[in-house]
Amino acid sequence: MSIPHDMQVIEIARPGAPEVLTPARRPVPAPGAGQILIRVAYAGINRPDVLQRQGGYAPPPGASELPGLECSGHVAAVGPGVTRWAVGDAVCALLPGGGYAEYVLTPADHALPVPEGLSLAEAACLPETCFTVWSNVVMRGGLQAGERFLVHGGSSGIGTTAIQIAVALGARVWATAGSDEKCAACERLGATAINYRAQDFVEILRAEGGAELILDMVAGDYVARNLKALADEGRLVFIAFLGGPKVTLNLAPVMTRRLTITGSTLRPQSDLAKARIADELRAHVWPMVTAGKLRPVMDAEFPLTDAAAAHAHMEAGEHIGKIVLRVAG
């Protein structure tokens, strides 16, 4: 595969609104030991990209400062010690950053094959959401067949993925969303939808006996309500705090009802931890994809040079599922 000297990228010129995303040219990086260079076909857009653009989510040390945490494409070069992949392989990958570019580096163990039957655009929607959902819902949250599971933001990329994985595992699923259209999308995936603008998820879950597991990306004033919605010995897992990271919390019900509160952020975790999650996905989630039990819900596709418009679309909050940037197609 012929590799050019430089490539088109999208830089964050300064913290700010979507228009600070600026096309630029940069040298194509060379893979180091254990890395692969991917010629990007599509890059997924995720909420952390927006936070980084706004100045609230700095890349970890050593990571590219360019936005973009997942992509699909083809292996363009492999670094020393890489035996899992060969030049030309179709992959999708979790990235430390840098996905808004024609080429990107990532640890070889953070890439997965494009599942049979999926387009490259669909494959670009899988890594960030699947790594996040599986590691928090299953590895950390311990979801089991037959349990009652509530996911907030059910029509988001994370939400649509969490619903499908939980249904495939045999859980009973509820999902909150903010419009009839979004609720209908959740219902089509197998969840009982709750329009949080008109319904109280606490009352609904308590009537069912409480949720054994809740996946929350809101925090803020949802924390106390989540605790009320849990069954005794239930688990609450945080993956974001769109409603604010600080709360005043009464610990008495946590203790008397033996509740578990936990959470995680993916990007700061070690390369080894992410490789272990990738192994879990390869063993458990990719078979769901090939069996048709999990399919990315796609909302919109923008050219790489329209990254600002893609971010504005995400921030408008009307999308259902994933937004991607078309880089090479």
Side-chain angles (χ1 to χ4, degrees):
M1 183 176 293
S2 176
I3 301 173
H5 176 267
D6 64 339
M7 62 180 180
Q8 185 173 57
V9 306
I10 299 295
E11 296 179 335
I12 301 173
R14 61 190 180 281
E19 57 265 24
V20 304
L21 294 172
T22 306
R25 305 290 302 183
R26 289 199 181 183
V28 175
Q35 292 182 320
I36 58 174
L37 178 70
I38 300 173
R39 182 175 184 268
V40 178
Y42 291 86
I45 291 181
N46 295 281
R47 187 65 60 175
D49 302 345
V50 173
L51 296 176
Q52 180 180 338
R53 191 206 74 225
Q54 294 171 337
Y57 193 59
S64 170
E65 80 280 11
L66 299 176
L69 299 177
E70 64 183 345
C71 77
S72 66
H74 294 89
V75 176
V78 299
V82 174
T83 58
R84 185 189 294 272
W85 305 109
V87 172
D89 285 346
V91 296
C92 55
L94 186 73
L95 308 174
Y100 293 14
E102 291 180 309
Y103 291 85
V104 66
L105 293 175
T106 199
D109 290 340
H110 298 178
L112 291 155
V114 172
E116 183 179 350
L118 256 61
S119 67
L120 286 171
E122 291 173 312
C125 301
L126 291 175
E128 174 73 11
T129 51
C130 287
F131 272 76
T132 299
V133 169
W134 188 262
S135 63
N136 285 284
V137 171
V138 178
M139 297 173 71
R140 183 170 294 275
L143 183 65
Q144 300 291 319
E147 288 192 316
R148 295 178 293 274
F149 171 58
L150 170 64
V151 55
H152 292 299
S155 63
S156 67
I158 290 290
T160 54
T161 301
I163 291 170
Q164 292 179 83
I165 286 177
V167 168
L169 291 173
R172 297 175 61 196
V173 184
W174 284 259
T176 61
S179 72
D180 290 343
E181 182 184 8
K182 291 181 177 182
C183 285
C186 296
E187 296 270 1
R188 287 194 295 271
L189 297 175
T192 298
I194 302 169
N195 187 329
Y196 64 79
R197 301 185 191 278
Q199 299 170 287
D200 184 351
F201 70 83
V202 176
E203 291 182 1
I204 292 171
L205 267 299
R206 291 304 301 172
E208 295 288 341
E212 277 98 359
L213 178 66
I214 297 176
L215 182 67
D216 183 50
M217 59 190 77
V218 182
D221 62 6
Y222 264 42
V223 175
R225 297 175 68 198
N226 282 329
L227 296 183
K228 291 179 181 179
L230 282 174
D232 289 354
E233 301 191 5
R235 295 94 67 197
L236 173 59
V237 182
F238 290 102
I239 57 170
F241 39 80
L242 298 176
K246 297 182 180 180
V247 297
T248 299
L249 181 64
N250 180 0
L251 292 176
V254 176
M255 299 168 66
T256 58
R257 298 176 55 215
R258 302 168 303 284
L259 305 178
T260 298
I261 302 174
T262 185
S264 73
T265 299
L266 183 61
R267 196 175 190 185
Q269 296 187 47
S270 70
D271 287 350
L272 179 58
K274 294 173 187 175
R276 287 171 175 163
I277 300 170
D279 288 341
E280 288 270 324
L281 298 183
R282 189 177 289 106
H284 302 291
V285 178
W286 257 229
M288 294 180 186
V289 180
T290 56
K293 297 178 180 179
L294 170 60
R295 190 95 184 187
V297 176
M298 298 189 65
D299 180 89
E301 176 183 312
F302 293 81
L304 177 64
T305 52
D306 285 347
H311 273 226
H313 181 60
M314 170 168 276
E315 290 184 86
E318 298 302 320
H319 64 287
I320 295 175
K322 294 285 291 189
I323 303 167
V324 297
L325 295 175
R326 184 178 66 255
V327 182

